[in-house]
PDB file of all heavy atoms in Angstrom:
ATOM      1  N   PRO T 188     108.587 144.933 119.320  1.00 75.00           N
ATOM      2  CA  PRO T 188     109.964 144.927 118.814  1.00 75.00           C
ATOM      3  C   PRO T 188     110.188 143.762 117.855  1.00 75.00           C
ATOM      4  O   PRO T 188     109.641 142.678 118.036  1.00 75.00           O
ATOM      5  CB  PRO T 188     110.808 144.754 120.074  1.00 75.00           C
ATOM      6  CG  PRO T 188     109.935 145.218 121.194  1.00 75.00           C
ATOM      7  CD  PRO T 188     108.535 144.891 120.771  1.00 75.00           C
ATOM      8  N   ALA T 189     110.979 143.996 116.831  1.00 79.00           N
ATOM      9  CA  ALA T 189     111.259 142.968 115.828  1.00 79.00           C
ATOM     10  C   ALA T 189     112.724 143.047 115.423  1.00 79.00           C
ATOM     11  O   ALA T 189     113.378 144.074 115.579  1.00 79.00           O
ATOM     12  CB  ALA T 189     110.363 143.187 114.609  1.00 79.00           C
ATOM     13  N   GLY T 190     113.210 141.938 114.899  1.00 80.00           N
ATOM     14  CA  GLY T 190     114.591 141.905 114.421  1.00 80.00           C
ATOM     15  C   GLY T 190     115.515 141.232 115.419  1.00 80.00           C
ATOM     16  O   GLY T 190     115.098 140.734 116.461  1.00 80.00           O
ATOM     17  N   ASN T 191     116.782 141.215 115.085  1.00 83.00           N
ATOM     18  CA  ASN T 191     117.783 140.488 115.854  1.00 83.00           C
ATOM     19  C   ASN T 191     118.701 141.449 116.602  1.00 83.00           C
ATOM     20  O   ASN T 191     119.459 142.201 115.984  1.00 83.00           O
ATOM     21  CB  ASN T 191     118.602 139.607 114.900  1.00 83.00           C
ATOM     22  CG  ASN T 191     119.566 138.705 115.608  1.00 83.00           C
ATOM     23  OD1 ASN T 191     119.731 138.764 116.826  1.00 83.00           O
ATOM     24  ND2 ASN T 191     120.216 137.850 114.846  1.00 83.00           N
ATOM     25  N   VAL T 192     118.647 141.401 117.909  1.00 84.00           N
ATOM     26  CA  VAL T 192     119.514 142.239 118.743  1.00 84.00           C
ATOM     27  C   VAL T 192     120.977 141.814 118.569  1.00 84.00           C
ATOM     28  O   VAL T 192     121.889 142.634 118.615  1.00 84.00           O
ATOM     29  CB  VAL T 192     119.108 142.129 120.234  1.00 84.00           C
ATOM     30  CG1 VAL T 192     120.044 142.928 121.109  1.00 84.00           C
ATOM     31  CG2 VAL T 192     117.682 142.582 120.423  1.00 84.00           C
ATOM     32  N   GLN T 193     121.194 140.531 118.333  1.00 87.00           N
ATOM     33  CA  GLN T 193     122.552 139.981 118.187  1.00 87.00           C
ATOM     34  C   GLN T 193     122.934 139.838 116.709  1.00 87.00           C
ATOM     35  O   GLN T 193     123.527 138.845 116.295  1.00 87.00           O
ATOM     36  CB  GLN T 193     122.627 138.618 118.885  1.00 87.00           C
ATOM     37  CG  GLN T 193     122.372 138.673 120.356  1.00 87.00           C
ATOM     38  CD  GLN T 193     123.465 139.425 121.093  1.00 87.00           C
ATOM     39  OE1 GLN T 193     124.609 139.488 120.657  1.00 87.00           O
ATOM     40  NE2 GLN T 193     123.105 140.028 122.215  1.00 87.00           N
ATOM     41  N   ARG T 194     122.632 140.824 115.917  1.00 87.00           N
ATOM     42  CA  ARG T 194     122.865 140.757 114.472  1.00 87.00           C
ATOM     43  C   ARG T 194     124.345 140.590 114.131  1.00 87.00           C
ATOM     44  O   ARG T 194     124.690 139.882 113.188  1.00 87.00           O
ATOM     45  CB  ARG T 194     122.299 142.022 113.828  1.00 87.00           C
ATOM     46  CG  ARG T 194     122.192 141.937 112.342  1.00 87.00           C
ATOM     47  CD  ARG T 194     121.394 143.111 111.824  1.00 87.00           C
ATOM     48  NE  ARG T 194     121.410 143.125 110.387  1.00 87.00           N
ATOM     49  CZ  ARG T 194     121.297 144.215 109.669  1.00 87.00           C
ATOM     50  NH1 ARG T 194     121.161 145.379 110.268  1.00 87.00           N
ATOM     51  NH2 ARG T 194     121.319 144.161 108.369  1.00 87.00           N
ATOM     52  N   LEU T 195     125.223 141.214 114.866  1.00 89.00           N
ATOM     53  CA  LEU T 195     126.652 141.093 114.606  1.00 89.00           C
ATOM     54  C   LEU T 195     127.111 139.647 114.818  1.00 89.00           C
ATOM     55  O   LEU T 195     127.861 139.100 114.001  1.00 89.00           O
ATOM     56  CB  LEU T 195     127.453 142.046 115.490  1.00 89.00           C
ATOM     57  CG  LEU T 195     128.967 142.016 115.305  1.00 89.00           C
ATOM     58  CD1 LEU T 195     129.342 142.377 113.874  1.00 89.00           C
ATOM     59  CD2 LEU T 195     129.639 142.978 116.272  1.00 89.00           C
ATOM     60  N   LEU T 196     126.638 139.027 115.876  1.00 92.00           N
ATOM     61  CA  LEU T 196     126.966 137.624 116.133  1.00 92.00           C
ATOM     62  C   LEU T 196     126.411 136.734 115.025  1.00 92.00           C
ATOM     63  O   LEU T 196     127.081 135.809 114.550  1.00 92.00           O
ATOM     64  CB  LEU T 196     126.411 137.198 117.492  1.00 92.00           C
ATOM     65  CG  LEU T 196     126.699 135.776 117.933  1.00 92.00           C
ATOM     66  CD1 LEU T 196     128.200 135.530 118.057  1.00 92.00           C
ATOM     67  CD2 LEU T 196     126.006 135.497 119.263  1.00 92.00           C
ATOM     68  N   TRP T 197     125.189 137.012 114.580  1.00 92.00           N
ATOM     69  CA  TRP T 197     124.579 136.265 113.476  1.00 92.00           C
ATOM     70  C   TRP T 197     125.437 136.399 112.224  1.00 92.00           C
ATOM     71  O   TRP T 197     125.692 135.413 111.531  1.00 92.00           O
ATOM     72  CB  TRP T 197     123.159 136.788 113.210  1.00 92.00           C
ATOM     73  CG  TRP T 197     122.586 136.258 111.928  1.00 92.00           C
ATOM     74  CD1 TRP T 197     121.946 135.061 111.752  1.00 92.00           C
ATOM     75  CD2 TRP T 197     122.625 136.882 110.645  1.00 92.00           C
ATOM     76  NE1 TRP T 197     121.590 134.916 110.436  1.00 92.00           N
ATOM     77  CE2 TRP T 197     121.988 136.016 109.735  1.00 92.00           C
ATOM     78  CE3 TRP T 197     123.126 138.092 110.176  1.00 92.00           C
ATOM     79  CZ2 TRP T 197     121.844 136.319 108.390  1.00 92.00           C
ATOM     80  CZ3 TRP T 197     122.992 138.395 108.830  1.00 92.00           C
ATOM     81  CH2 TRP T 197     122.351 137.519 107.953  1.00 92.00           C
ATOM     82  N   ARG T 198     125.886 137.600 111.924  1.00 91.00           N
ATOM     83  CA  ARG T 198     126.693 137.820 110.711  1.00 91.00           C
ATOM     84  C   ARG T 198     127.994 137.016 110.772  1.00 91.00           C
ATOM     85  O   ARG T 198     128.414 136.441 109.768  1.00 91.00           O
ATOM     86  CB  ARG T 198     126.979 139.304 110.528  1.00 91.00           C
ATOM     87  CG  ARG T 198     127.670 139.601 109.214  1.00 91.00           C
ATOM     88  CD  ARG T 198     127.653 141.098 108.954  1.00 91.00           C
ATOM     89  NE  ARG T 198     128.387 141.426 107.779  1.00 91.00           N
ATOM     90  CZ  ARG T 198     127.916 141.382 106.541  1.00 91.00           C
ATOM     91  NH1 ARG T 198     126.678 141.001 106.331  1.00 91.00           N
ATOM     92  NH2 ARG T 198     128.658 141.714 105.511  1.00 91.00           N
ATOM     93  N   GLN T 199     128.617 136.958 111.931  1.00 92.00           N
ATOM     94  CA  GLN T 199     129.835 136.156 112.079  1.00 92.00           C
ATOM     95  C   GLN T 199     129.531 134.678 111.846  1.00 92.00           C
ATOM     96  O   GLN T 199     130.311 133.971 111.203  1.00 92.00           O
ATOM     97  CB  GLN T 199     130.446 136.363 113.469  1.00 92.00           C
ATOM     98  CG  GLN T 199     130.997 137.758 113.676  1.00 92.00           C
ATOM     99  CD  GLN T 199     131.354 138.036 115.130  1.00 92.00           C
ATOM    100  OE1 GLN T 199     130.966 137.319 116.042  1.00 92.00           O
ATOM    101  NE2 GLN T 199     132.094 139.122 115.348  1.00 92.00           N
ATOM    102  N   MET T 200     128.395 134.213 112.332  1.00 90.00           N
ATOM    103  CA  MET T 200     128.000 132.817 112.159  1.00 90.00           C
ATOM    104  C   MET T 200     127.773 132.491 110.681  1.00 90.00           C
ATOM    105  O   MET T 200     128.256 131.478 110.183  1.00 90.00           O
ATOM    106  CB  MET T 200     126.726 132.535 112.970  1.00 90.00           C
ATOM    107  CG  MET T 200     126.256 131.095 112.952  1.00 90.00           C
ATOM    108  SD  MET T 200     124.965 130.620 111.766  1.00 90.00           S
ATOM    109  CE  MET T 200     123.745 131.851 111.819  1.00 90.00           C
ATOM    110  N   VAL T 201     127.061 133.366 109.953  1.00 92.00           N
ATOM    111  CA  VAL T 201     126.803 133.055 108.542  1.00 92.00           C
ATOM    112  C   VAL T 201     128.070 133.183 107.698  1.00 92.00           C
ATOM    113  O   VAL T 201     128.208 132.499 106.683  1.00 92.00           O
ATOM    114  CB  VAL T 201     125.642 133.885 107.941  1.00 92.00           C
ATOM    115  CG1 VAL T 201     124.319 133.500 108.557  1.00 92.00           C
ATOM    116  CG2 VAL T 201     125.869 135.362 108.021  1.00 92.00           C
ATOM    117  N   GLN T 202     129.007 134.014 108.103  1.00 93.00           N
ATOM    118  CA  GLN T 202     130.277 134.078 107.389  1.00 93.00           C
ATOM    119  C   GLN T 202     131.030 132.759 107.514  1.00 93.00           C
ATOM    120  O   GLN T 202     131.631 132.286 106.549  1.00 93.00           O
ATOM    121  CB  GLN T 202     131.126 135.240 107.907  1.00 93.00           C
ATOM    122  CG  GLN T 202     130.617 136.589 107.447  1.00 93.00           C
ATOM    123  CD  GLN T 202     131.321 137.760 108.100  1.00 93.00           C
ATOM    124  OE1 GLN T 202     131.883 137.649 109.173  1.00 93.00           O
ATOM    125  NE2 GLN T 202     131.265 138.904 107.439  1.00 93.00           N
ATOM    126  N   VAL T 203     130.973 132.150 108.688  1.00 92.00           N
ATOM    127  CA  VAL T 203     131.608 130.839 108.876  1.00 92.00           C
ATOM    128  C   VAL T 203     130.889 129.788 108.032  1.00 92.00           C
ATOM    129  O   VAL T 203     131.528 128.985 107.343  1.00 92.00           O
ATOM    130  CB  VAL T 203     131.616 130.434 110.369  1.00 92.00           C
ATOM    131  CG1 VAL T 203     132.041 128.989 110.540  1.00 92.00           C
ATOM    132  CG2 VAL T 203     132.530 131.360 111.158  1.00 92.00           C
TER     133      VAL T 203
END
Side-chain angles (χ1 to χ4, degrees):
N191 186 355
V192 177
Q193 298 293 333
R194 193 170 174 208
L195 180 60
L196 182 61
W197 169 84
R198 187 168 175 84
Q199 292 169 345
M200 184 264 315
V201 292
Q202 286 172 337
V203 170

